[in-house]
Amino acid sequence: MPNINIFFIVTIQLLFIGLSNGWFFFSDSNCYTNPDVGCFPTSGVYNNAMGFAPQSPSEVGVRFVYRGMNRNITFSLVEAQQRLRDTFNPSLKTVLIIHGYLESTRRPWVGHMVNALRTRGPMNIFLVDWRDGALNINYLQSVANARMAGAITGLFLQELIQMGASPRNFHIIGFSLGAQVAGYVGERVRGIGRITGLDPAGPGFIDTHPTVRLDPTDAVVVDVVHTDRDIGTLMSMGTVDFYPNGGADQPSCGVGAFSRLSAFMSQLDFSRNTVTRTVGCSHIRATELFTSSIYNNCTYVLTESRDVRDMRNNAGTVCLGNTCPKFGYYLDLFQTPRHGIFRFPTTGSHPYC
């Protein structure tokens, strides 16, 4: 059976080849000093985008949105300290939410997650908007741009640290390609407390060097939720990896390559004035499960497996007692989350208990 990840990339490229503007002319490695994000080689381990280099900081256009209870503040990296002087509280937990490919911070799942987080008490909530780098019909260019988005976000976290924040109080939540952006942030800012990868993008990252993908060293705790083996990946990338319903097909979602591609294509909106995008049902389910966990509605029975192969074969033992990690938002209540691979069943509708 053909590899659906390759099928996904090639199909998207062919469908829009008439709109291409130099897709297949690879860029050289570039260095940037404004802001000082360094250099971006495209050889060796950094060839996961098949030779594409990230676009410039101005082209990727990372903006940050502070989501306060009474107002939202949108700003660039250079404006961070000035715009946050009277709003950012460095003593509180700081959560960053990073959207994925063909998305922006206007996606409904982002708003739902922010609303859920606000029920958990005072915290700093930031959205990382890298839509200019993510809205490329050429997926491989967005894969490359994820490196630039991660570099700029890393500099933003350094600004927060200068304002008195502790990296241990940072919790980065990234979905799809945004989860890989979070990995790049963790490469540049050491000691981040937690990174949550919600169905990290698979194409361009499977079996690659840890430097170019989310991996267990990117934060003190890296918890990963796998819900779609095709757009995402079953590859273990965290200190704790969760596989709802085996991590492949989610209840009430279509099964198989055609259903996945149809779901993806039928919901794309390429209007210049609309940045709303949706992706496959199983893929987006990762955000829904995590948001539901913030309300603490479900208690799941986890089965621990030795590795991904055992998990796929339904091998493993039921995890019992206080040593079991708790899926979702409250995982970080455990001071020393156990490492492992865990699967569990869910229903097909909210709250997925």
Side-chain angles (χ1 to χ4, degrees), residues 158-182:
Q158 295 290 359
E159 294 285 335
L160 297 184
I161 292 171
Q162 290 183 21
M163 297 175 70
S166 168
R168 292 284 299 220
N169 284 338
F170 294 153
H171 181 185
I172 305 176
I173 304 170
F175 168 58
S176 191
L177 198 48
Q180 305 296 358
V181 172

Side-chain angles (χ1 to χ4, degrees), residues 40 149-150 338:
F40 295 85
R338 68 185 289 183

Side-chain angles (χ1 to χ4, degrees), residues 319-335:
C319 184
L320 301 172
N322 294 331
T323 60
C324 296
K326 186 174 179 62
F327 167 76
Y329 179 74
Y330 293 99
L331 174 70
D332 62 350
L333 292 181
F334 292 84
Q335 293 183 356

Side-chain angles (χ1 to χ4, degrees), residues 6-71:
I6 300 300
F7 173 78
F8 173 77
I9 295 175
V10 172
T11 302
I12 296 297
Q13 298 280 33
L14 292 178
L15 285 172
F16 297 100
I17 196 168
L19 301 177
S20 63
N21 291 301
W23 287 3
F24 302 105
F25 293 91
F26 299 151
S27 302
D28 294 329
S29 172
N30 293 302
C31 301
Y32 301 94
T33 57
N34 188 24
D36 187 10
V37 291
C39 300
F40 295 85
T42 58
S43 60
V45 299
Y46 294 103
N47 193 34
N48 64 309
M50 297 179 64
F52 285 93
Q55 293 174 289
S56 69
S58 61
E59 290 174 303
V60 175
V62 178
R63 305 280 289 179
F64 302 96
V65 184
Y66 174 81
R67 293 296 301 268
M69 291 298 295
N70 300 315
R71 62 172 177 163

Side-chain angles (χ1 to χ4, degrees), residues 28-351:
D28 294 329
S29 172
N30 293 302
C31 301
Y32 301 94
T33 57
N34 188 24
D36 187 10
V37 291
C39 300
F40 295 85
T42 58
S43 60
V45 299
Y46 294 103
N47 193 34
N48 64 309
M50 297 179 64
F52 285 93
Q55 293 174 289
S56 69
S58 61
E59 290 174 303
V60 175
V62 178
R63 305 280 289 179
F64 302 96
V65 184
Y66 174 81
R67 293 296 301 268
M69 291 298 295
N70 300 315
R71 62 172 177 163
N72 299 331
I73 304 174
T74 301
F75 55 93
S76 65
L77 174 65
V78 297
E79 300 171 314
Q81 292 208 25
Q82 177 185 359
R83 300 298 300 276
L84 297 176
R85 184 179 298 116
D86 299 323
T87 55
F88 176 67
N89 186 339
S91 66
L92 295 178
K93 177 178 181 177
T94 295
V95 178
L96 280 78
I97 301 175
I98 309 177
H99 66 79
Y101 176 54
L102 293 180
E103 291 193 314
S104 78
T105 55
R106 297 182 185 180
R107 287 287 288 118
W109 72 261
V110 176
H112 295 159
M113 189 173 292
V114 169
N115 291 338
L117 288 169
R118 283 175 172 166
T119 69
R120 300 299 91 184
M123 67 180 72
N124 303 297
I125 301 176
F126 293 99
L127 312 181
V128 180
D129 194 325
W130 63 294
R131 73 182 73 179
D132 293 346
L135 294 178
N136 287 289
I137 296 174
N138 176 11
Y139 171 74
L140 292 174
Q141 183 61 70
S142 291
V143 168
N145 288 346
R147 293 169 63 191
M148 181 63 72
I152 295 173
T153 303
L155 290 178
F156 171 62
L157 291 190
Q158 295 290 359
E159 294 285 335
L160 297 184
I161 292 171
Q162 290 183 21
M163 297 175 70
S166 168
R168 292 284 299 220
N169 284 338
F170 294 153
H171 181 185
I172 305 176
I173 304 170
F175 168 58
S176 191
L177 198 48
Q180 305 296 358
V181 172
Y184 291 126
V185 178
E187 283 287 322
R188 290 177 175 255
V189 182
R190 307 312 294 177
I192 290 173
R194 182 180 179 188
I195 292 177
T196 297
L198 301 178
D199 209 37
F205 300 97
I206 297 174
D207 296 329
T208 55
H209 192 276
T211 301
V212 295
R213 60 169 173 81
L214 183 64
D215 75 86
T217 69
D218 290 329
V220 177
V221 175
V222 179
D223 57 307
V224 181
V225 185
H226 303 265
T227 55
D228 189 322
R229 64 184 170 188
D230 299 326
I231 300 176
T233 174
L234 294 181
M235 179 181 176
S236 174
M237 293 185 175
T239 55
V240 184
D241 287 78
F242 294 100
Y243 296 81
N245 306 294
D249 302 307
Q250 300 305 307
S252 75
C253 291
V255 178
F258 181 78
S259 295
R260 295 175 187 281
L261 185 60
S262 297
F264 180 86
M265 295 305 300
S266 66
Q267 298 180 76
L268 287 177
D269 177 2
F270 288 101
S271 167
R272 291 179 59 87
N273 297 319
T274 304
V275 294
T276 300
R277 303 290 193 271
T278 57
V279 292
C281 174
S282 290
H283 193 44
I284 200 74
R285 182 64 56 82
T287 68
E288 298 165 346
L289 289 170
F290 190 82
T291 297
S292 178
S293 77
I294 298 172
Y295 294 109
N296 201 24
N297 289 327
C298 298
T299 300
Y300 298 110
V301 177
L302 306 181
T303 297
E304 183 175 13
S305 299
R306 292 180 302 176
D307 51 35
V308 173
R309 178 177 296 180
D310 277 356
M311 185 276 300
R312 295 187 67 179
N313 292 331
N314 295 320
T317 58
V318 175
C319 184
L320 301 172
N322 294 331
T323 60
C324 296
K326 186 174 179 62
F327 167 76
Y329 179 74
Y330 293 99
L331 174 70
D332 62 350
L333 292 181
F334 292 84
Q335 293 183 356
T336 55
R338 68 185 289 183
H339 296 209
I341 290 173
F342 301 88
R343 71 178 189 275
F344 58 91
T346 76
T347 63
S349 60
H350 181 81

